[in-house]
Each structure stands twice: as structure tokens, then as C-alpha cells.
């Protein structure tokens, strides 16, 4: 992972990089990344889609499917974080709180007004997006680690507010909701149907991430990430772009939060506190925020690793920590970067360096 | 009035621990340029080590020194094996420190357990001064902190090493050309900050029980203190620690105790947004490359 966010005014004189040529290249064309051939991209996408759709029929059992649902809704939240970090270079360690805003908004609407899943979803997503934008306001002033600490504070504050919120937020015990309002012919009480609901949302998130990545908007975000001052000087409205991506990220977080709420049917403040937030950051780093499938890979590794290795919670957390250290030291671009580099080495193509710039789309 | 004075002394002793961790963070973040999220866990490890040694029959003050050294060694290992490789990419170092904090927390749970640990008051005396009862240990905690703060302050601002260190922060390349071994200074600061965390942990467990999760709570306060004061500014960390400790201590006595943690968070967000260089001025943190 490259040097991230420079806040205005302290751009990296400290790096030994020669910037001038680098800057132009990044603003004019996204040639730092060499996209894989379209056929490879399409094949990967189709294989992945088939695998995910076929998953409930593979007879892997109830527990496996439950973990798969958890993985998928986490991945939806991660795609938001992946966009803001991978494309715009704004890291957050309070992202679980943003999911919590969506989940609690939906739960409160359900408890107070009796709104169901489908009706409360747009409100919850909109609220998450707005909160994402509001928390994002400080990024316009401070950058880098300062902003990360702000997001962490927000996350801790959110938990305190929820815990002290009395019956409105259900205090420390949290809130309960019913099941997803059934669509004609589809009852979401059935686990596999719930899985398909979450999967559909994941496909939406993937498609949105892909489209943003190849769009002009995505290129502008990457330009801001690489050099904010230069981006500003060529007339890019940096503030608007940053707030925009944070709101999109909030939208994803809200969607993930509501899906989480209706899968668990019960939420409490600890689900959205510091630890889950740190884990989201871990997953996105682990998978590789700049790669289309990076967040999904990260979510799969973190959620399935303890299951595969049959670890108890304490050991699995130690394992996460060690994984994270190893990935950062050995594969700074995340596992996504590793897979792409291996693929490129095998096919003899010119792969992106892990440090190169924004490849969007591992395959 | 008596109650107020007692609250004041209590707040001061709580503030002492906060100041110790705040100074560690302010030095490591502001001068060495490393955001170490595992710093709170370093403190917790120091406390746990003290608990273990005191439980094995060791004198508290010997255990305090040993805990400081142990955590200093831990800091040395972390810097050499991990943070050294991410000095040019602070964001990666930050994420790595999160991983380290998860590892340390759960390693302690694995070795001991997740329940809270406490030791009996190592001094066990109460001084009555002017009709006010003061627990002796609390006064000793304040005194030890004062000594440590004085040493650190003069070390940074007056000594040759402190000067070289500040030179390395303001212009790393030139400092290197002048023959200052910048890397070694970074390691040194990291070890010193960790040592302070170890001492802070030992002092903390002499005041109240700690759990393996104490670190992740106290780290926020540490960041709050160092950011309020201004990164790299030892005096600022002391002021920040006092402000936060007094607000917390007094709000626990008079205000809404369930919102105690929220105050420091709100203060920190406001400071970060409105005055990122801190109230007393400091570096803006690691030069984001």
C-alpha cells in the first residue's frame, strides 16, 4: 500500500519519490495499473458468481451457510471501506459504527413505527450516508492518522450513546426485530433465502464498486489519493469528491448494517464498537482495498479462518493479528495484490507492482 | 470541601497514569513518527507483569522497575521486528500496531485469563493532612509520575540527546548528514515510551484492578492527552493529562458518571478538528509521506 493521504500543507516532501512525472501519469491516465484482459475479468466474475449462487446447494450445512451470510454482509460494508480507502485513500477505523447507524436506524424504525425491512432500508441507508458525510467533514481539515483517530473516537462515542440511550436504543441489551417481510413466494425465514438476499446486495455492491472504479469519478478519486494538492490545482473539487465517496461508503455500510440486523434479529452496542471496527480495517487491509475482490477475500479469510483451523475465539484472534502483521510486512497490497502478482508471473504478463497505483479489479 | 480535596487527590492519581501513557504516545507519535495503537496494551502488559510478580511475593517497587524494563524490551522487539519496516508508510505501521494490540491482548488472556486482576495496596497507609484523609499510595503514584515527567522534560528540552532528537524530527535528512543516527534515536524513543507505559501499568494496578481489555480503553485517553497537548510536547501532555484527569475525576464525583468516557472523546474530536497541532503546539505528527 502506498503512501496514503497527504493532508493539505504537508505533502510528502519526505518521500524520496520523484513526483513530477508520477503526478502527470496519474492524472492523465490510469496506467500505473495494468488491467488484466477483459476475458480473464469476465471469467473470474462468472466463476465467482456461479460459486456463490451454488453455495447453498453444496450441502455444507447450516453452520457453514450462517458463516457465509456473515461473511457476505461484512463484505458489503467492506466494499464501502474499500472504496474510501482504496480509491480515495481515506482510512477509517470506525466503520462498524457506520454499519451500526444503519442497523439501529432500521431497528428503531421497526420498534417505534413498525416499519419493515423494505420500507426502513432506504431510510437507514440514507441516514448512514449522511452520518458518513458528517463524520467525513474533518477530513477536509485534517488528514491521515488524525482522521483515523477521529473515526475511532466517533465509534467509541457511538457505543456510549447507544448504551446510555435508554429504551429508545435498548441500552446495553439492544433491540430485537422481526424477520424480513416476505416477498410474494419468498420467505426469508429460510436460511438459504436470507443468503440469496444478502448475496444480491453483495452483487450490487460489487457492481457499484466496479463501475465507480472504471468511471471518471474513480479516476479523480485516485488522483486525489496520490496527490491532493496537485488534484486541487488542476481544478478538481477535492472536498466534494471526498465527501461524496464517504457518503457512498456510508450507503454501503447502512445496507450492510440492515442486512446484519435482519439476519441476527437482535443487535446490541458491542456489535458496532471498537473491536468490530478494527476487524473491518483488518479485513480490508488483508484482502487489499484496491482490488475488486480484495474486500471479499479479506472477509472470507477472517470469517472462515477460525472455522477451518478449528480455533477457539482467543486463538483465532491471535491468528488474525499474526496474519495482519505478516500481510503488511510481506504483502503490503493485501492478498488481492499477491494473487494478481502470482497470476501475472504465471502468465508472463506485466502485473501491477504491489506499490503501483490503483489497480481496480484484480481480475 | 474535604470531599472536594479527596476527589482532587484521587483525580490527580488517575491523571498520573494518563499522563504517563500520554507522554509515551506523544513521544512515539510526535517524535518517532509511529502511531502505536498497541501502546495501551503495553501498559496492560506492564500491569499484568506487576500483578504476577507481586503475586509471586516480590516487593511492589522492585516489580515496578522490572515491569518497566520488561515492557521496554517488548517495545524494542516491536520496533526492531515490525515498525522499523514501515517508517516510510505510517499508515501501514498504524494498521500493524492494531494487529499487535490484538495479539498482546489475547496472548495475555491465553497466559492468564480474561478476569480482572488487582493487588493489595502495596503501602497500605492513609495520611491525614489537615483533616483530609489521603491514601498514601495515591500520593506516591503522583510523586513517581512527577519525577518521571521532570526527567523526560529536561531530557528532551535540555540534554544533547533531546536536541539531536528534535533536530531529527524537524529535518531528518539534514540531521542524518550531521551525523545523528536517526534510526537509533527512533528506536530509543520507542523503547523509552514503552518503558513509561510499563511503569504506568504498574502504577495503574496499584490503584485499581485491570483486565486484559484495559489497554484498549486507556489508549484513547492517551491519544486524547497527547493530541490535546500537541504531539511531541511533554509539557502539553502533562497539561492534557491533568485536564482530562480532573474532568473525569470530578465528573465521576459530581456529574454524570455514565458519560465519563464520552467527555474525553468529545474533547479529542473537537481538538483534532479545530486545532490539530494541539493546544500548546507540537509537531503535526509523523510527516505523512
Amino acid at each position: 500500500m502506498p503512501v496514503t493521504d497527504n493532508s493539505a500543507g504537508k505533502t510528502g516532501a519526505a518521500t524520496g519519490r520523484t513526483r513530477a512525472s508520477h503526478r502527470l501519469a496519474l492524472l492523465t491516465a490510469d496506467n500505473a495499473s495494468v488491467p488484466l484482459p477483459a476475458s480473464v475479468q469476465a471469467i473470474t466474475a462468472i466463476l465467482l458468481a456461479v460459486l456463490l449462487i451454488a453455495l447453498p446447494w453444496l450441502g455444507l450445512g447450516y453452520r457453514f451457510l450462517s458463516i457465509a451470510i456473515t461473511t457476505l454482509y461484512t463484505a458489503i460494508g467492506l466494499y464501502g471501506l474499500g472504496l474510501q480507502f482504496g480509491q480515495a485513500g481515506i482510512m477509517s477505523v470506525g466503520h462498524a459504527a457506520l454499519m451500526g447507524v444503519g442497523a439501529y436506524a432500521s431497528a428503531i424504525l421497526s420498534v417505534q413505527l413498525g416499519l419493515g425491512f423494505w420500507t426502513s432500508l432506504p431510510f437507514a441507508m440514507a441516514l448512514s450516508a449522511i452520518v458518513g458525510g458528517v463524520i467525513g467533514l474533518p477530513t477536509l481539515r485534517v488528514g491521515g492518522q488524525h482522521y483515523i483517530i477521529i473515526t475511532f473516537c466517533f465509534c467509541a462515542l457511538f457505543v456510549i450513546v447507544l448504551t446510555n440511550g435508554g429504551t429508545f436504543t435498548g441500552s446495553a441489551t439492544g433491540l430485537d426485530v422481526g424477520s424480513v417481510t416476505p416477498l410474494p413466494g419468498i420467505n426469508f425465514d429460510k436460511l438459504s433465502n436470507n443468503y440469496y438476499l444478502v448475496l444480491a446486495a453483495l452483487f450490487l455492491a460489487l457492481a457499484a464498486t466496479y463501475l465507480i472504479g472504471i468511471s471518471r469519478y474513480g479516476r479523480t478519486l485516485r488522483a486525489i489519493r496520490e496527490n491532493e494538492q496537485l488534484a486541487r490545482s488542476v481544478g478538481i473539487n477535492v472536498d466534494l469528491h471526498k465527501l461524496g465517496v464517504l457518503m457512498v461508503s456510508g450507503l454501503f455500510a447502512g445496507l450492510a448494517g440492515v442486512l446484519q440486523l435482519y439476519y441476527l434479529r437482535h443487535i446490541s452496542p458491542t456489535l458496532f464498537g471498537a473491536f468490530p471496527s478494527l476487524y473491518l480495517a483488518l479485513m480490508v487491509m488483508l484482502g487489499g482495498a484496491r482490488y475488486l475482490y480484495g474486500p471479499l477475500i479479506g472477509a472470507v479469510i477472517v470469517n472462515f479462518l477460525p472455522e477451518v483451523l478449528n480455533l477457539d475465539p482467543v486463538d483465532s484472534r491471535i491468528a488474525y493479528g499474526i496474519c495482519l502483521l505478516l500481510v503488511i510486512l510481506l504483502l503490503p497490497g493485501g492478498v488481492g495484490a499477491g494473487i494478481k502478482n502470482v497470476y501475472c508471473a504465471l502468465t508472463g504478463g506485466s502485473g501491477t507492482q504491489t506499490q503501483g497505483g490503483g489497480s481496480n479489479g484484480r481480475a | 470541601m474535604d470531599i472536594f480535596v479527596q476527589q482532587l487527590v484521587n483525580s490527580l492519581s488517575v491523571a498520573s497514569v494518563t499522563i504517563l501513557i500520554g507522554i509515551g504516545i506523544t513521544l512515539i507519535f510526535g517524535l518517532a513518527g509511529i502511531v502505536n495503537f498497541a501502546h495501551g496494551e503495553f501498559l496492560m502488559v506492564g500491569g499484568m507483569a506487576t500483578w504476577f510478580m507481586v503475586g509471586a511475593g516480590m516487593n511492589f517497587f522492585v516489580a515496578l522497575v522490572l515491569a518497566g524494563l520488561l515492557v521496554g524490551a517488548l517495545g524494542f522487539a516491536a520496533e526492531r521486528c515490525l515498525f522499523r519496516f514501515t517508517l516510510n508508510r505510517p499508515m501501514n505501521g498504524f494498521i500493524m500496531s492494531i494487529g499487535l494490540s490484538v495479539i498482546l491482548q489475547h496472548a495475555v488472556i491465553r497466559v492468564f485469563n480474561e478476569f480482572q486482576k488487582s493487588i493489595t495496596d502495596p503501602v497500605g497507609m492513609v495520611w491525614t493532612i489537615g483533616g483530609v484523609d489521603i491514601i498514601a499510595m495515591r500520593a506516591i503514584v503522583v510523586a513517581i509520575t512527577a519525577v518521571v515527567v521532570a526527567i523526560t522534560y529536561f531530557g528532551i528540552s535540555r540534554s544533547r540527546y533531546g536536541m539531536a532528537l528534535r533536530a531529527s524530527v524537524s529535518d531528518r535528512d539534514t540531521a542524518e548528514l550531521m551525523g545523528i543516527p536517526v534510526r537509533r534515536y527512533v528506536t530509543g524513543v520507542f523503547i523509552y515510551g514503552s518503558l513509561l507505559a510499563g511503569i504506568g501499568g504498574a502504577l495503574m494496578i496499584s490503584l485499581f484492578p485491570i483486565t486484559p481489555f484495559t489497554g484498549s480503553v486507556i489508549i484513547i485517553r492517551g491519544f486524547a492527552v497527547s493530541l490535546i497537548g500537541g504531539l511531541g510536547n511533554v509539557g502539553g501532555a502533562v497539561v492534557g493529562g491533568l485536564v482530562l484527569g480532573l474532568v473525569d475525576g470530578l465528573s465521576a464525583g459530581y456529574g454524570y458518571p455514565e458519560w465519563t468516557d464520552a467527555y474525553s472523546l468529545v474533547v479529542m474530536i473537537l481538538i483534532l478538528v479545530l486545532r490539530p497541532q494541539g493546544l500548546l503546539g507540537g509537531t503535526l505528527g509523523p510527516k505523512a509521506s
Side-chain angles (χ1 to χ4, degrees):
Chain A
M1 300 264 52
V3 247
T4 32
D5 26 19
N6 300 314
S7 72
K10 48 164 185 159
T11 331
T15 50
R17 263 203 221 178
T18 46
R19 287 271 185 185
S21 59
H22 191 66
R23 288 168 180 172
L24 270 176
L26 275 156
L27 279 179
T28 50
D30 190 23
N31 63 359
S33 66
V34 182
L36 293 175
S39 58
V40 179
Q41 294 196 27
I43 291 172
T44 317
I46 292 169
L47 283 180
L48 186 74
V50 168
L51 175 71
L52 287 175
I53 290 170
L55 208 60
W57 283 322
L58 298 181
L60 292 163
Y62 186 86
R63 184 166 168 74
F64 183 89
L65 206 54
S66 308
I67 300 174
I69 294 178
T70 313
T71 308
L72 293 191
Y73 69 66
T74 314
I76 296 168
L78 287 179
Y79 273 101
L81 191 57
L83 268 182
Q84 69 175 74
F85 180 52
Q87 305 294 315
I90 306 170
M91 189 50 165
S92 158
V93 288
H95 209 66
L98 220 47
M99 283 171 69
V101 169
Y104 264 91
S106 178
I108 289 168
L109 284 174
S110 158
V111 172
Q112 304 283 340
L113 302 176
L115 295 188
F117 174 83
W118 301 102
T119 35
S120 68
L121 184 64
F123 294 109
M125 285 172 70
L127 187 68
S128 280
I130 292 167
V131 173
V134 171
I135 308 165
L137 286 176
T139 45
L140 309 183
R141 277 182 65 96
V142 298
Q145 290 94 341
H146 284 65
Y147 180 68
I148 294 193
I149 297 169
I150 290 179
T151 59
F152 195 82
C153 292
F154 163 72
C155 181
L157 209 53
F158 180 68
V159 172
I160 295 175
V161 169
L162 289 180
T163 313
N164 291 334
T167 49
F168 189 66
T169 63
S171 297
T173 45
L175 294 170
D176 294 292
V177 292
S179 52
V180 180
T181 326
L183 290 179
I186 309 172
N187 180 4
F188 291 102
D189 278 337
K190 201 177 157 202
L191 196 65
S192 60
N193 285 341
N194 201 329
Y195 172 83
Y196 284 123
L197 177 71
V198 180
L199 185 61
L202 177 79
F203 284 151
L204 270 179
L206 260 167
T209 305
Y210 177 75
L211 290 176
I212 290 175
I214 59 168
S215 69
R216 186 189 168 81
Y217 182 67
R219 285 202 304 279
T220 314
L221 287 178
R222 291 196 288 278
I224 294 172
R225 176 189 76 200
E226 291 302 317
N227 192 328
E228 186 174 322
Q229 279 179 319
L230 187 70
R232 212 182 280 276
S233 71
V234 297
I236 293 171
N237 189 338
V238 171
D239 294 357
L240 201 66
H241 276 83
K242 279 183 163 181
L243 286 185
V245 75
L246 288 170
M247 289 184 73
V248 173
S249 167
L251 215 56
F252 283 23
L255 176 60
V258 177
L259 289 169
Q260 180 178 19
L261 165 73
Y262 277 90
Y263 165 64
L264 297 175
R265 311 270 290 276
H266 170 82
I267 47 171
S268 60
T270 48
L271 283 174
F272 308 108
F275 244 118
S277 289
L278 293 179
Y279 274 27
L280 290 178
L282 187 161
M283 285 183 239
V284 91
M285 292 294 289
L286 205 60
R290 296 190 177 183
Y291 299 85
L292 183 57
Y293 301 119
L296 185 60
I297 295 172
V300 169
I301 293 176
V302 169
N303 284 294
F304 279 97
L305 191 70
E307 201 61 17
V308 171
L309 298 179
N310 205 7
L311 296 174
D312 69 80
V314 172
D315 285 337
S316 73
R317 288 190 166 176
I318 296 177
Y320 291 159
I322 293 172
C323 280
L324 185 68
L325 297 187
L326 289 178
V327 166
I328 302 246
L329 287 176
L330 305 175
L331 268 181
V335 176
I339 294 176
K340 183 167 181 181
N341 280 345
V342 167
Y343 173 81
C344 290
L346 287 179
T347 54
S350 54
T352 22
Q353 300 297 309
T354 35
Q355 298 212 20
S359 152
N360 152 4
R362 164 174 74 82
Chain B
M1 188 61 202
D2 290 355
I3 294 173
F4 178 77
V5 174
Q6 270 171 0
Q7 288 284 1
L8 201 66
V9 174
N10 289 350
S11 308
L12 271 180
S13 61
V14 176
S16 297
V17 177
T18 316
I19 288 171
L20 281 177
I21 191 162
I23 290 179
I25 290 175
T26 213
L27 293 179
I28 292 175
F29 191 173
L31 299 184
I34 299 169
V35 186
N36 181 14
F37 221 75
H39 202 74
E41 267 62 40
F42 283 14
L43 177 129
M44 182 271 294
V45 168
M48 289 295 174
T50 311
W51 169 78
F52 182 73
M53 288 188 274
V54 169
M58 194 180 283
N59 178 289
F60 170 77
F61 293 97
V62 179
L64 177 126
V65 174
L66 286 179
L69 293 177
L70 174 82
V71 177
L74 182 66
F76 178 63
E79 206 278 337
R80 271 299 152 95
C81 303
L82 303 174
F83 295 105
R84 150 149 305 203
F85 301 105
T86 58
L87 284 182
N88 294 324
R89 300 179 196 159
M91 190 70 74
N92 282 9
F94 175 79
I95 301 289
M96 223 161 48
S97 73
I98 293 176
L100 183 62
S101 100
V102 172
I103 294 175
L104 285 176
Q105 209 172 76
H106 291 89
V108 167
I109 295 177
R110 173 59 62 236
V111 174
F112 301 122
N113 52 43
E114 73 268 35
F115 303 117
Q116 66 173 32
K117 318 254 179 304
S118 57
I119 58 175
T120 50
D121 188 334
V123 180
M125 279 195 296
V126 175
W127 294 334
T128 308
I129 299 169
V132 182
D133 290 340
I134 294 172
I135 299 167
M137 192 57 218
R138 301 205 160 200
I140 293 173
V141 167
V142 176
I144 292 177
T145 307
V147 171
V148 170
V149 167
I151 292 173
T152 312
Y153 182 78
F154 287 109
I156 298 282
S157 65
R158 296 284 187 274
S159 80
R160 204 180 149 71
Y161 297 106
M163 204 188 287
L165 184 61
R166 283 180 289 130
S168 320
V169 174
S170 55
D171 189 339
R172 185 177 172 144
D173 294 340
T174 313
E176 259 169 354
L177 286 174
M178 298 292 191
I180 296 172
V182 174
R183 284 235 151 164
R184 214 174 289 166
Y185 271 86
V186 169
T187 313
V189 167
F190 201 91
I191 296 174
Y192 185 71
S194 309
L195 189 129
L196 293 189
I199 294 175
L203 293 180
M204 190 166 177
I205 203 168
S206 75
L207 296 177
F208 21 70
I210 64 175
T211 75
F213 305 105
T214 304
S216 45
V217 179
I218 198 100
I219 185 77
I220 294 294
R221 306 174 56 77
F223 273 110
V225 164
S226 55
L227 291 166
I228 290 171
L231 290 171
N233 185 333
V234 176
V238 174
V239 174
L242 287 177
V243 170
L244 211 61
L246 290 182
V247 167
D248 280 1
L250 295 179
S251 76
Y254 296 103
Y256 301 92
E258 70 271 23
W259 291 97
T260 300
D261 291 330
Y263 298 141
S264 56
L265 295 170
V266 172
V267 167
M268 184 150 65
I269 292 177
L270 287 179
I271 298 252
L272 278 169
V273 175
L274 301 177
R275 238 186 108 78
Q277 72 274 36
L279 288 181
L280 299 184
T283 66
L284 264 174
K287 303 262 185 301
S289 41

